[in-house]
Amino acid sequence: MYKAKEYLIHGLLLVLTLITTTLAGGEWVYGRSVIGEGDSFLTWEYFLKSMAFSIPFVGILLIHELGHFFYIDVS
C-alpha cells in the first residue's frame, strides 16, 4: 500500500502533531510557554501534564480523519 518512506513521513507528522498540541495545551491550560521566562516557562512536568489535553485532541482528530478515509457514498 505505502512505501517505507511514506510510513516514516506519516509517523513523523503524527509525532510533530502530538508535540505541538502538547505545547499548545501547556500554554492554554497552564499558561506556560516554551518562550516564557521564570514561572511562565513550560517545564517537563507541565509538558507531561499537558498531554492530558493533547492525547484526547489528537484522538478526536484521528477519528475525524479516519472518517474521510472510510467514507462510503450511500446515495
Side-chain angles (χ1 to χ4, degrees):
M1 187 154 110
Y2 290 110
K3 297 177 185 174
K5 184 178 179 181
E6 291 171 325
Y7 280 116
L8 179 65
I9 291 171
H10 295 165
L12 231 140
L13 289 172
L14 176 65
V15 170
L16 286 173
T17 302
L18 188 62
I19 290 170
T20 55
T21 55
T22 303
L23 292 173
E27 188 165 355
W28 191 41
V29 176
Y30 299 108
R32 295 174 179 254
S33 175
V34 292
I35 58 174
E37 297 176 3
D39 289 339
S40 66
F41 184 73
L42 182 69
T43 60
W44 280 108
E45 175 188 4
Y46 282 99
F47 181 82
L48 294 176
K49 286 182 179 181
S50 300
M51 293 193 105
F53 170 84
S54 63
I55 290 175
F57 184 81
V58 170
I60 292 168
L61 184 62
L62 175 66
I63 297 301
H64 170 82
E65 293 303 323
L66 285 174
H68 295 293
F69 186 72
F70 291 111
Y71 173 74
I72 299 172
D73 189 12
V74 293
S75 58

